[in-house]
């Protein structure tokens, strides 16, 4: 439909759409679950210490605002719960988180800061 978005080859429509976004006439939209599944099939694969899983409604308050205020640093892993490639990366993500936490801990020696791959 005219004005609803952009199609390849229609640069004028892209300019109108971009202007509408920048002027606040088009509201942001995130394709996301409203809440997280907590258990059972399809539940969150990131239930892991040091990992905070976000959805569209919580992303701003729990990630963007603390970073913008200088209160946090965020390493973001975006995944699709239906995508096998994304889900296969989850164990590596957990190892990375464990390694970062170990590196930040003053009680560990330099030799045991990162887990074996």
């Amino acid at each position: 439909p005219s004005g609803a978005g952009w199609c390849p080859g229609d640069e004028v429509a892209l300019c109108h759409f971009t202007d509408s976004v920048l002027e606040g006439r088009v509201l942001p939209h995130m394709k996301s679950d409203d809440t997280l599944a907590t258990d059972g099939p399809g539940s969150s694969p990131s239930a892991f210490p040091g990992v905070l899983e976000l959805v569209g409604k919580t992303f701003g308050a729990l990630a963007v605002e603390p970073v913008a205020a200088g209160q946090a640093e965020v390493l973001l892993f975006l995944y699709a719960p239906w995508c096998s490639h994304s889900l296969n990366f989850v164990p590596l993500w957990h190892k990375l988180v464990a390694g970062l936490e170990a590196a930040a801990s003053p009680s560990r020696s330099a030799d045991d800061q990162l887990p074996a791959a």
Side-chain angles (χ1 to χ4, degrees):
S2 179
W6 173 74
C7 296
D10 190 356
E11 287 74 19
V12 173
L14 178 59
C15 290
H16 288 290
F17 178 74
T18 304
D19 289 342
S20 296
V21 170
L22 295 174
E23 293 168 3
R25 292 179 293 167
V26 175
L27 299 176
H29 172 75
M30 290 186 212
K31 187 172 182 178
S32 174
D33 286 339
D34 286 336
T35 59
L36 295 173
T38 55
D39 48 77
S43 66
S44 167
S46 68
F48 186 81
V51 174
L52 178 62
E53 186 165 352
L54 307 172
V55 294
K57 288 184 177 181
T58 61
F59 181 74
L62 298 178
V64 176
E65 291 172 13
V67 169
Q71 299 170 343
E73 294 178 347
V74 174
L75 184 60
L76 189 62
F77 165 47
L78 300 173
Y79 76 95
W82 45 261
C83 173
S84 64
H85 300 311
S86 293
L87 296 177
N88 288 335
F89 187 75
V90 171
L92 181 60
W93 181 253
H94 290 171
K95 286 182 182 181
L96 174 65
V97 169
L100 291 172
E101 287 181 339
S105 171
S107 64
R108 300 188 99 177
S109 72
D111 294 334
D112 63 15
Q113 286 187 355
L114 293 176

